[in-house]
Amino acid sequence: MTDQATTAEADSAEIPGKPISASRTTLSHIMTHSDTNLLGTVHGGVIMKLVDDAAGAVAGRHSGGPAVTASMDEMAFLEPVRVGDLVHVKAQVNWTGRTSMEVGVRVLAERWNESTPPTQVGSAYLVFAAVDADGKPRRVPPVIPETDRDRRRNQEAQIRRTHRLARRRAIMELRAKRAAEGFDD
Ligand SMILES: CC(C)(COP(=O)(O)OP(=O)(O)OC[C@H]1O[C@@H](n2cnc3c(N)ncnc32)[C@H](O)[C@@H]1OP(=O)(O)O)[C@@H](O)C(=O)NCCC(=O)NCCS
């Protein structure tokens, strides 16, 4: 059997699915003075790092190996986070493709000086690609949604995937058209 045939066979083999709950992760962190911006509240980049960390842990758990951030979109900051707040970053796989996964993340803050339930302060969607030892994309197990909420998130992730692909294709077409017209921009 040729290497090509072996690869094609491995490629079409079924990979058993994994339930969303098997990789769901929460990362918790207390905000300190070194996390602040000039206004004294927590810097958005600090939250984005935690979001990427939690989503990366989920992607690694789901895919059973290394995974890299391919894109991060719709990062929303809903409320300021303050020094002393205990931030919980909750992440789960919403959708899987052939080698990529969309991870949805919710960021909650437990206010250090209020006895109120945690407030949602942010959310984001990230796409991770599972990679092999050479950094090449490798297949991921299909994700199995378990609840109605999981199924809704899975359907919404497919809408975002369609939009991401359409946007990328439209931009590539525009660039090719401008290059053909002689623009060098
Ligand atoms: C992500 C990466 C592995 C994709 O490699 P590639 O050679 O373009 O491979 P492909 O085009 O086959 O893409 C692999 C998968 O990722 C998805 N993907 C690639 N770029 C994407 C993007 N910008 N947004 C969303 N999905 C993306 C593809 O749709 C594909 O998914 P599928 O197999 O489920 O259909 C590669 O671009 C890379 O290594 N990027 C750097 C990642 C990194 O270092 N991140 C940390 C930032 S410091």
Side-chain angles (χ1 to χ4, degrees), residues 43-62:
H43 195 275
V46 170
I47 301 296
M48 287 170 85
K49 165 87 167 61
L50 292 175
V51 165
D52 193 34
D53 286 347
V58 166
R61 277 180 170 176
H62 181 79

Side-chain angles (χ1 to χ4, degrees), residues 99-115:
T99 64
S100 68
M101 304 151 267
E102 187 198 90
V103 180
V105 182
R106 285 196 313 132
V107 186
L108 306 167
E110 260 184 72
R111 306 302 190 182
W112 69 273
N113 54 351
E114 295 170 16
S115 57

Side-chain angles (χ1 to χ4, degrees), residues 68-71 95 97-100 127 129 131 135 137 161 164-165 168:
V68 292
T69 318
S71 74
W95 170 92
R98 189 175 162 280
T99 64
S100 68
V127 177
V131 291
R161 159 85 170 179
R164 279 185 204 108
L165 292 179
R168 190 153 52 148

Side-chain angles (χ1 to χ4, degrees), residues 31-111:
M31 295 295 123
T32 69
H33 284 289
S34 63
D35 298 320
T36 57
N37 57 30
L38 293 175
L39 298 173
T41 54
V42 170
H43 195 275
V46 170
I47 301 296
M48 287 170 85
K49 165 87 167 61
L50 292 175
V51 165
D52 193 34
D53 286 347
V58 166
R61 277 180 170 176
H62 181 79
S63 68
V68 292
T69 318
S71 74
M72 184 177 202
D73 57 26
E74 295 189 38
M75 176 81 228
F77 297 100
L78 308 171
E79 300 270 350
V81 179
R82 302 185 203 99
V83 170
D85 288 352
L86 175 58
V87 169
H88 304 287
V89 185
K90 295 173 176 276
Q92 70 171 54
V93 174
N94 284 337
W95 170 92
T96 47
R98 189 175 162 280
T99 64
S100 68
M101 304 151 267
E102 187 198 90
V103 180
V105 182
R106 285 196 313 132
V107 186
L108 306 167
E110 260 184 72
R111 306 302 190 182

